[in-house]
Amino acid sequence: MDNAHLWLPYTQMKTAPEPLRAVRTEGCRIILDDGRELIDGIASWWTACHGYNHPHIRDAMEEQLAAMPHVMFAGLVHEPAQALAAKLAAKAPPGLKRVFFSDSGSTAVEVALKMAVQYWRNRGQPRRTKFIAFHHGYHGDTMGALSVSDPRGWLHGASSQYFPLQYHIDIPLDELSFSEFRDILDDIARSAAALLIEPLVQCVGHMRFHSADVLAEIYRIAKEHDLLVIADEIATGFGRTGYFFACEEAGITPDILCVGKALTGGAIPLAATLATEEVFGAFYGDELTMALMHGPTYMANPLACRAALASLELFEQEPRLAQVARLEERLREGLEPCRNLPVVRDVRVKGAIGVVQIDPQQVDIFALRSRFVEEGCWIRPFADVVYLMPPFVISDEELDHLTGAIHRLLSRSET
Ligand SMILES: *Cc1c(COP(=O)(O)O)cnc(C)c1O
């Protein structure tokens, strides 16, 4: 068995080290084919919030697998989708009552963009086709989603000339920049359908934080300018920032909300775009041309819906948000000693997200990845951040092992 037929993501296949081969997962661990066990500090791209192979999710999926693994979702619906849509609507910020299912975060964003543009067209304002998005934002890898992601930097690779042009601006963080933000919106809002934001934490864009007050003020000013607001909670949703949804901390209800990643607890792909009745209402009419023309083949896959339902039940049956609060404290304690290291620029923690920002000139990120594996840790630093976004159920010992390894390796990696 070799990798002759594989093409890996974000990878220079010629120079990248051999990927490791995983054979099993268990709790918060990934087990490799040579028997080594790695403690997963990043929950498989932020999905496995209950750890791996949770029996409650597995049982639900096994039952669904026997009954109906899949059925198309046009003209047919099923109980898992109905129950999940109802549950998501109940858990989301108040007012987000309609749920459109899809299969990945990027698609959930594409759907949100289409909803926003057509919302205005259906309401007689067809020129509102642009989007206002923030520097350091990331909303997915497909064309539309990348067009609203930060165009500077590595994300776009060499293909950005194909994308529609959008407005990219800084997140306003103080009074002066808020007045500038308002001026910019005065100029451009009339040509824009919506403003997009990753609430509280811009994850792929170097794990940058802004406060709930800043988020609330951005929302207020966007609404003053009659913009739709799209919250991309694909990374922040399901407890990651300490609230079930990050928007809750700012007390806002976006017009459209995207979820993905941890929706099924990391068991199987599923994503969703939630909309208010106001947005849904703009599509509700006699003409097919007013309808939302989108429909992924595996939309609302029953197996995935059941996994998501089981995952949401776990948030009710087990003290997940309390675990996140504890994790926040322990991440703070564990990472704080890194602050004094010469290669470290900043240490910050929000919910179950711990970030050590380093000077990339002084640290070889790729070498560091291999060192972490040698320490029994699955931690994947990128750009200028070494970060942890572990499963919420990680034990104190496992977490301390991860934070200890970060401190130890960054102590050694001076110049
Ligand atoms: C990961 C991510 C996406 C894209 O999700 P995929 O499932 O990889 O398509 C979009 N937005 C945010 C904020 C993300 O973190």
Side-chain angles (χ1 to χ4, degrees):
M1 290 273 242
D2 63 18
N3 299 318
H5 301 285
L6 300 180
W7 198 335
L8 298 176
Y10 309 113
T11 301
Q12 175 43 264
M13 296 294 289
K14 183 171 179 187
T15 56
E18 277 291 291
L20 305 170
R21 196 155 64 163
V23 289
R24 219 153 42 78
T25 49
E26 200 179 300
C28 298
R29 291 167 194 244
I30 299 167
I31 294 123
L32 303 180
D33 59 356
D34 59 10
R36 278 183 296 170
E37 286 191 14
L38 305 178
I39 302 172
D40 189 350
I42 56 175
S44 268
W45 269 340
W46 328 336
T47 60
C49 56
H50 316 287
Y52 292 103
N53 310 28
H54 197 292
H56 186 64
I57 297 178
R58 201 174 51 206
D59 290 349
M61 289 179 76
E62 276 173 0
E63 201 184 288
Q64 188 61 43
L65 187 62
M68 180 173 70
H70 184 66
V71 67
M72 66 181 284
F73 201 62
L76 296 170
V77 296
H78 44 77
E79 198 263 346
Q82 292 172 321
L84 178 58
K87 191 147 209 137
L88 281 172
K91 294 246 178 205
L96 290 159
K97 294 287 173 231
R98 290 286 167 172
V99 181
F100 190 97
F101 289 110
S102 58
D103 36 29
S104 76
S106 302
T107 311
V109 170
E110 297 288 340
V111 169
L113 301 180
K114 284 171 89 169
M115 272 181 188
V117 168
Q118 197 179 341
Y119 168 86
W120 289 112
R121 198 191 65 190
N122 285 359
R123 298 194 45 184
Q125 298 193 50
R127 298 237 166 85
R128 299 189 69 162
T129 56
K130 295 279 175 208
F131 291 91
I132 301 170
F134 292 106
H135 286 141
H136 299 286
Y138 171 75
H139 300 285
D141 287 350
T142 51
M143 294 272 210
L146 255 193
S147 81
V148 286
S149 303
D150 195 330
R152 310 163 303 172
W154 54 278
L155 280 174
H156 281 211
S159 52
S160 56
Q161 68 270 29
Y162 302 121
F163 307 153
L165 288 175
Q166 315 288 11
Y167 300 115
H168 296 273
I169 60 181
D170 287 335
I171 289 197
L173 294 171
D174 54 29
E175 220 166 288
L176 189 67
S177 43
F178 264 111
S179 99
E180 201 183 333
F181 176 64
R182 198 185 294 272
D183 290 346
I184 294 171
L185 291 206
D186 285 346
D187 283 345
I188 64 178
R190 266 182 304 269
S191 62
L195 172 142
L196 261 97
I197 188 164
E198 289 166 88
L200 302 188
V201 185
Q202 295 178 299
C203 290
V204 174
H206 304 198
M207 300 287 168
R208 290 160 69 102
F209 301 172
H210 54 269
S211 71
D213 289 344
V214 163
L215 176 59
E217 189 63 4
I218 289 172
Y219 176 82
R220 209 178 57 74
I221 295 172
K223 282 288 143 197
E224 260 174 38
H225 287 83
D226 202 22
L227 286 162
L228 293 178
V229 173
I230 301 172
D232 178 349
E233 293 235 26
I234 291 163
T236 55
F238 308 109
R240 186 53 71 178
T241 67
Y243 286 74
F244 197 75
F245 286 112
C247 285
E248 278 174 40
E249 190 174 343
I252 62 166
T253 293
D255 302 282
I256 298 173
L257 176 84
C258 301
V259 296
K261 288 209 165 89
L263 173 56
T264 64
I268 187 168
L270 185 68
T273 308
L274 280 68
T276 59
E277 286 292 339
E278 157 71 15
V279 169
F280 177 76
F283 293 76
Y284 196 76
D286 297 322
E287 306 296 328
L288 181 62
T289 52
M290 280 179 78
L292 180 64
M293 299 311 263
H294 201 95
T297 304
Y298 280 94
M299 180 171 180
N301 171 257
L303 206 50
C305 288
R306 279 299 293 274
L309 272 168
S311 174
L312 293 177
E313 281 158 13
L314 284 174
F315 278 92
E316 289 159 7
Q317 294 166 10
E318 297 181 7
R320 286 291 176 271
L321 293 185
Q323 285 167 325
V324 172
R326 256 177 61 77
L327 264 178
E328 177 163 16
E329 252 174 62
R330 211 168 176 95
L331 279 168
R332 257 204 196 101
E333 274 167 36
L335 295 177
E336 194 52 37
C338 293
R339 197 180 291 280
N340 299 320
L341 301 176
V343 300
V344 170
R345 294 284 165 270
D346 188 33
V347 175
R348 52 186 180 267
V349 173
K350 174 76 185 162
I353 306 173
V355 183
V356 179
Q357 189 181 336
I358 51 161
D359 175 359
Q361 306 298 322
Q362 291 188 65
V363 181
D364 179 345
I365 287 287
F366 292 98
L368 198 55
R369 287 181 180 177
S370 316
R371 292 287 125 63
F372 278 124
V373 170
E374 287 160 20
E375 298 268 341
C377 304
W378 188 239
I379 300 176
R380 301 263 297 169
F382 66 92
D384 64 346
V385 292
V386 180
Y387 75 95
L388 293 174
M389 284 171 74
F392 302 156
V393 298
I394 194 167
S395 71
D396 287 352
E397 294 70 35
E398 287 170 322
L399 188 69
D400 294 349
H401 184 83
L402 296 172
T403 53
I406 291 176
H407 184 262
R408 208 161 38 249
L409 293 186
L410 290 181
S411 314
R412 274 192 233 138
S413 64
E414 287 142 49
T415 42

